[in-house]
C-alpha cells in the first residue's frame, strides 16, 4: 500500500471481501494511520462492532455474547480513543459525485490518509444507464482524487460470474473478470484477488492472488489465509496451524514446549 494510489480488492460473492477489508482497516489504525470508511452495504454500527471484535479477537458479529457491554466499550476506547477514524453515514446514498465530495472532505478537512470504499459496484447498481460507462466514470474520478489529494483509496469490486466453475466453488480469479468495466483494472495501481480453495471450496481457506502490481510487475500467489470462526480473524495459514497444535510433553508428562502464536 502506497499513498496516492488506488488499490482494488476483487473476489466473488460471499468470499470474505468485507472481512479482509476490516483486517486492513484494523492494521492501518494500529499503525497510527488516519482512516475513513465508506461502507455502502452495512450500517456504521455493524462496521464498528466488527472492528472492535477484530481488536478483541472475538467474533462479535456472530456471537455478541462473547463479550460484555463493558468489554466492548473498553475495546472501542482502546482501538479508537487516540486514533483518527471516520465513517460516512450514507443513509443508502450511492451517488458517485456525493461520495467523491465526501472523500475530498475527509482528506482536506479531516486529514485522512486512507479511504476504504466497500464497494464500487453498488455505486452504479442503483442508477439507470450503461453500467460500464458509469463504472468508467467512477473509477476515473476516484483515481484522480488519489493523485490530487495524495491519499490511498482501497476499493472493493465484485467479479463477473465466470464460464464454468463459479468463484464460490474455487473458480480462478483474474483481472478480466472485474465486473462491468476494464477501467477498474487499467486505473488501479494494485489489484488483489481473494480465491476460495479449489480443493476444498467449503473450507475457511482463502488464497491471495496479486492480479496487478504497478510497482514491480510481480504477480501471482500472495499467501494463504484461514478464517477463524471463533475469533472472527483472518490468519496466515502457518500461524493458524501453529495455534491448533497442542503443547508437546516430555516423557515424564511435563509440558516443556510453548506453542508459538501470532502474539508471540
Amino acid at each position: 500500500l502506497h499513498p496516492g494510489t488506488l488499490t482494488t480488492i476483487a473476489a466473488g460473492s460471499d468470499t470474505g471481501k468485507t472481512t479482509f477489508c476490516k483486517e486492513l482497516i484494523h492494521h492501518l489504525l494500529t499503525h497510527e494511520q488516519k482512516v475513513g470508511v465508506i461502507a455502502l452495504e452495512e450500517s456504521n454500527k455493524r462496521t464498528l462492532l466488527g472492528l472492535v471484535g477484530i481488536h478483541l479477537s472475538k467474533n462479535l458479529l456472530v456471537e455478541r455474547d462473547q463479550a460484555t457491554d463493558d468489554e466492548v466499550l473498553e475495546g472501542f476506547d482502546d482501538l479508537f480513543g487516540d486514533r483518527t477514524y471516520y465513517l460516512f453515514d450514507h443513509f443508502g446514498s450511492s451517488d458517485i459525485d456525493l461520495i467523491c465530495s465526501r472523500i475530498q472532505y475527509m482528506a482536506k478537512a479531516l486529514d485522512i490518509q486512507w479511504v476504504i470504499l466497500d464497494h464500487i459496484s453498488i455505486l452504479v447498481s442503483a442508477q439507470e444507464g450503461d453500467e460500464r460507462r458509469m463504472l468508467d466514470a467512477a473509477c476515473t474520478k476516484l483515481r484522480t482524487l488519489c493523485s490530487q489529494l495524495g491519499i490511498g483509496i482501497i476499493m472493493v469490486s465484485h467479479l463477473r460470474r465466470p464460464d464454468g466453475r463459479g468463484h464460490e466453488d474455487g473458480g480462478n480469479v483474474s483481472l478480466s473478470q472485474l465486473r462491468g468495466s476494464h477501467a477498474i483494472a487499467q486505473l488501479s495501481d494494485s489489484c488483489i484477488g481473494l480465491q476460495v480453495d479449489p480443493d476444498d471450496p467449503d473450507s475457511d481457506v482463502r488464497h491471495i492472488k496479486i492480479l496487478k502490481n504497478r510497482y514491480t510487475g510481480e504477480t501471482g500467489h500472495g499467501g494463504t489465509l484461514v478464517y477463524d470462526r471463533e475469533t472472527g480473524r483472518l490468519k496466515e495459514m502457518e500461524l493458524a496451524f501453529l495455534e491448533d497444535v497442542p503443547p508437546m510433553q516430555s516423557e515424564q508428562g511435563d509440558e516443556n514446549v510453548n506453542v508459538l502464536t501470532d502474539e508471540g
Side-chain angles (χ1 to χ4, degrees), residues 96 124-125 127-139:
I96 181 60
V124 300
S125 62
Q127 303 179 40
E128 295 183 359
D130 188 314
E131 183 183 29
R132 183 186 63 78
R133 291 179 181 272
M134 288 188 290
L135 277 172
D136 284 350
C139 289

Side-chain angles (χ1 to χ4, degrees), residues 26 66 69-70 75 81 95 143 165 189 214 249 263:
H26 183 264
Q66 281 192 0
D69 290 345
D70 288 341
D95 180 75
R143 186 65 189 81
R165 192 175 193 179
D189 295 283
R214 181 163 288 169
Q249 295 185 345
E263 288 84 13

Side-chain angles (χ1 to χ4, degrees), residues 3-165:
T5 62
L6 178 63
T7 300
T8 297
I9 311 298
S13 299
D14 299 323
T15 54
K17 298 183 295 296
T18 299
T19 301
F20 184 71
C21 283
K22 284 188 174 73
E23 288 281 3
L24 288 179
I25 294 168
H26 183 264
H27 174 83
L28 290 169
L29 284 173
T30 54
H31 285 74
E32 310 308 324
Q33 300 291 295
K34 299 174 181 179
V35 181
V37 174
I38 302 173
L40 300 177
E41 279 198 316
E42 65 179 11
S43 67
N44 289 339
K45 180 179 179 180
R46 181 176 175 84
T47 300
L48 288 171
L49 186 61
L51 288 169
V52 172
I54 285 176
H55 194 61
L56 297 175
S57 288
K58 297 179 183 292
N59 198 349
L60 299 180
L61 292 177
V62 175
E63 296 182 50
R64 176 58 183 81
D65 58 359
Q66 281 192 0
T68 65
D69 290 345
D70 288 341
E71 289 173 332
V72 170
L73 289 173
E74 184 178 347
F76 180 92
D77 291 338
D78 187 50
L79 178 59
F80 300 113
D82 297 323
R83 300 184 173 101
T84 303
Y85 178 77
Y86 288 93
L87 284 157
F88 171 48
D89 200 355
H90 53 86
F91 287 105
S93 173
S94 57
D95 180 75
I96 181 60
D97 291 326
L98 176 62
I99 296 298
C100 287
S101 70
R102 293 299 183 268
I103 292 175
Q104 287 180 312
Y105 178 77
M106 285 181 175
K108 292 182 177 181
L110 305 177
D111 199 27
I112 288 297
Q113 299 165 287
W114 297 94
V115 172
I116 286 78
L117 173 60
D118 186 8
H119 54 85
I120 183 66
S121 305
I122 204 172
L123 285 179
V124 300
S125 62
Q127 303 179 40
E128 295 183 359
D130 188 314
E131 183 183 29
R132 183 186 63 78
R133 291 179 181 272
M134 288 188 290
L135 277 172
D136 284 350
C139 289
T140 300
K141 291 176 180 179
L142 292 171
R143 186 65 189 81
T144 301
L145 286 178
C146 288
S147 300
Q148 289 179 344
L149 303 173
I151 61 173
I153 295 180
I154 302 170
M155 71 176 185
V156 174
S157 175
H158 283 179
L159 295 171
R160 293 195 305 268
R161 187 168 185 83
D163 295 331
R165 192 175 193 179

